[in-house]
C-alpha cells in the first residue's frame, strides 16, 4: 500500500487529486502539503505546511511519514511565470530538484507534471508527436522542458522511478486555476452560470488541448500504477482529451444556456503564449504504454461542469 506525499495540494490539480487518493488508499497514507495554511482546516486528513524550495523540510516530512511516492505539483503556471520569470525558475526548478533529491535519498517514486507548454513555435502544431522538437519560448515552458530532462536524468543516472505527463489545459469546478493561459476555459463556465456571458482574452480560432480534471486525476494514478516494464517513455507523456477553441466551448454551453454570449478582448501576453503551443497533440504513446483513455469529451464535460456549478453558484 503506497504512502504518498503531495506538494501543491491546495492547487487546482492537488485539491482533487488528494481527495481521490484518500478514497483509493488509506486516508493516513496521503500526506497533503502546501505553502498555504488554508488547507489545514479544510483537509480531512494529514496536512503539513511545506515550502518546496526548502529541501530539508521536504526530506523531513517525507521521512517522518515514510512515504514511497512523491507527487510534486507545486509550481507557477504560464502567465504568472511570464510576469515573474526569476521566481518561476527558482520555484519550478528549485522545488523539482528538491523533490528529485528527496526521492533519490529515500527511494521514492516521483510524479511531476509537464505540459503542452514544453513545446514551442517550431514544434509541429497538429497531432504533435510524443518525440519531437521542444523549443518553448515561455519561462514556464523552459521550466517544463528542463524538468522533463532533469527527471529523465535522475532515472537514467540514479535509478529514481520518475514519471510525468504533458498536461493540456485542465478544466475543473473544485479549485479555480491560478495564473494559467488556459484559465479562460474554466472562467467561461463560471461566468456562464453567474452572468450568462463571458469575455475571452484568448482569440476565436486559437485551438489548444484541454482535459476535464477527473480524467487528469485518473491518468496520474494509472501512470503511477503502471508496470515500469511497459514504459518506453517516462518524462513526459503526451495526453489530451480534446482540441478546442473559445467558440467550441460557447457552442457546448449554449446547449444548456441558449442565450449565452461570448465576447473577446486583447491580452497580448497570454495570446502569444497560447499561439506558441500546439493546436493538438498525439496521445498514442500514453494509450499504448499504460492504457490512457479519456472519459470526458467537450459535451460530457460541459454537462458535468454546468450542473455542479449551477448547484453551487446559484444561491
Ligand atoms: C497554464 N494551465 O495555462 C496551465 C497549463 C497547458 C496549460 O500548463 O499555464
Amino acid at each position: 500500500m503506497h504512502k504518498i506525499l503531495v506538494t501543491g495540494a491546495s492547487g487546482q490539480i492537488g485539491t482533487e487529486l488528494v481527495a481521490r487518493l484518500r478514497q483509493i488508499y488509506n486516508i493516513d497514507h496521503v500526506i497533503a502539503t502546501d505553502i498555504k495554511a488554508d488547507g489545514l482546516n479544510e483537509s480531512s486528513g494529514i496536512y503539513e505546511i511545506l515550502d518546496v524550495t526548502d529541501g530539508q523540510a521536504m526530506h523531513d516530512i517525507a521521512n517522518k511519514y515514510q512515504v514511497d511516492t512523491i507527487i510534486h505539483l507545486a509550481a507557477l503556471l504560464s502567465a504568472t511565470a511570464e510576469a515573474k520569470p526569476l521566481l518561476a525558475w527558482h520555484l519550478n526548478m528549485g522545488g523539482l530538484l528538491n523533490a528529485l533529491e528527496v526521492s533519490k535519498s529515500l527511494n521514492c517514486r516521483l510524479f511531476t507534471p509537464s505540459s503542452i507548454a514544453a513545446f514551442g513555435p517550431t514544434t509541429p502544431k497538429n497531432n504533435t508527436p510524443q518525440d519531437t522538437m521542444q523549443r518553448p519560448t515561455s519561462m514556464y515552458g523552459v521550466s517544463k522542458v528542463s524538468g522533463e530532462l532533469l527527471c529523465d536524468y535522475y532515472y537514467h543516472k540514479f535509478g529514481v522511478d520518475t514519471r510525468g505527463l504533458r498536461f493540456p489545459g485542465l478544466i475543473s469546478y473544485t479549485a479555480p486555476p491560478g495564473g494559467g493561459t488556459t484559465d479562460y476555459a474554466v472562467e467561461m463556465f463560471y461566468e456562464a452560470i453567474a452572468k450568462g456571458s463571458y469575455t475571452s482574452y484568448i482569440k476565436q480560432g486559437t485551438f489548444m488541448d484541454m482535459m476535464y480534471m477527473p480524467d487528469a486525476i485518473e491518468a496520474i494514478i494509472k501512470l503511477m500504477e503502471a508496470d515500469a516494464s511497459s514504459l518506453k517513455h517516462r518524462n513526459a507523456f503526451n495526453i489530451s482529451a480534446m482540441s478546442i477553441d473559445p467558440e467550441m466551448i460557447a457552442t457546448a454551453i449554449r446547449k444548456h444556456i441558449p442565450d449565452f454570449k461570448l465576447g473577446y478582448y486583447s491580452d497580448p501576453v497570454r495570446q502569444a503564449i497560447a499561439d506558441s503551443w500546439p493546436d493538438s497533440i498525439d496521445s498514442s504513446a500514453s494509450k499504448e504504454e499504460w492504457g490512457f483513455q479519456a472519459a470526458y469529451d467537450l459535451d460530457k464535460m460541459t454537462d458535468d461542469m454546468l450542473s455542479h456549478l449551477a448547484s453551487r453558484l446559484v444561491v
Side-chain angles (χ1 to χ4, degrees):
M1 171 69 80
H2 294 307
K3 292 199 82 173
I4 305 165
L5 183 150
V6 179
T7 73
S10 295
Q12 187 197 15
I13 300 174
T15 303
E16 289 199 44
L17 177 67
V18 165
R20 181 73 178 123
L21 291 174
R22 285 174 173 161
Q23 284 177 342
I24 298 172
Y25 304 102
N26 182 314
I27 192 165
D28 292 333
H29 285 197
V30 181
I31 293 81
T33 72
D34 200 289
I35 197 168
K36 292 180 277 188
D38 55 6
L40 281 171
N41 43 45
E42 288 157 23
S43 177
S44 57
I46 301 170
Y47 188 99
E48 298 260 8
I49 302 290
L50 173 62
D51 174 350
V52 295
T53 61
D54 182 343
Q56 189 57 53
M58 189 188 294
H59 177 278
D60 293 349
I61 291 175
N63 194 43
K64 172 182 171 184
Y65 294 98
Q66 291 292 292
V67 303
D68 62 26
T69 302
I70 295 176
I71 297 184
H72 177 62
L73 304 175
L76 291 186
L77 296 182
S78 56
T80 306
E82 210 56 31
K84 302 173 182 173
L86 293 184
L87 174 61
W89 181 262
H90 173 66
L91 172 55
N92 293 9
M93 298 313 296
L96 175 58
L97 196 58
N98 287 336
L100 284 162
E101 278 296 303
V102 170
S103 298
K104 176 177 164 229
S105 66
L106 297 181
N107 194 28
C108 299
R109 308 178 309 153
L110 175 69
F111 173 89
T112 196
S114 181
S115 161
I116 60 172
F119 298 117
T122 54
T123 302
K125 279 191 93 60
N126 292 299
N127 204 31
T128 303
Q130 174 65 41
D131 301 306
T132 188
M133 173 74 76
Q134 289 181 261
R135 301 288 291 183
T137 50
S138 68
M139 173 52 90
Y140 177 68
V142 169
S143 77
K144 286 301 166 183
V145 72
S146 303
E148 289 186 8
L149 296 172
L150 204 51
C151 290
D152 272 347
Y153 177 83
Y154 270 72
Y155 170 67
H156 292 294
K157 181 87 172 181
F158 305 118
V160 178
D161 184 350
T162 59
R163 307 181 188 192
L165 296 170
R166 288 177 187 143
F167 277 133
L170 298 180
I171 295 169
S172 65
Y173 59 82
T174 307
T181 297
T182 59
D183 295 1
Y184 88 89
V186 180
E187 293 165 358
M188 196 184 299
F189 287 104
Y190 277 78
E191 297 203 11
I193 296 286
K195 295 169 32 185
S197 65
Y198 179 67
T199 307
S200 170
Y201 56 82
I202 293 295
K203 285 191 292 196
Q204 177 177 1
T206 306
F207 284 84
M208 288 187 272
D209 287 283
M210 300 277 180
M211 178 181 284
Y212 199 29
M213 187 61 78
D215 277 333
I217 300 304
E218 294 312 311
I220 293 171
I221 295 167
K222 194 161 189 172
L223 173 61
M224 292 309 284
E225 293 292 2
D227 185 326
S229 64
S230 70
L231 304 180
K232 301 185 188 78
H233 297 83
R234 282 180 169 270
N235 304 285
F237 283 93
N238 286 3
I239 59 167
S240 177
M242 60 194 88
S243 169
I244 53 180
D245 83 321
E247 288 298 327
M248 289 175 70
I249 304 174
T251 299
I253 288 172
R254 290 191 190 103
K255 293 176 184 174
H256 303 264
I257 307 172
D259 297 334
F260 175 70
K261 290 181 178 45
L262 174 63
Y264 295 92
Y265 73 93
S266 171
D267 178 334
V269 171
R270 287 187 285 187
Q271 185 63 46
I273 293 172
D275 289 342
S276 74
W277 294 350
D279 291 352
S280 64
I281 65 174
D282 171 23
S283 305
S284 55
S286 292
K287 291 171 182 169
E288 289 157 14
E289 297 179 35
W290 52 273
F292 166 66
Q293 187 58 50
Y296 289 85
D297 61 12
L298 177 56
D299 283 335
K300 188 175 177 183
M301 173 178 72
T302 300
D303 181 58
D304 200 63
M305 275 289 284
L306 293 179
S307 59
H308 279 94
L309 288 173
S311 61
R312 184 199 308 172
L313 296 181
V314 177
V315 290

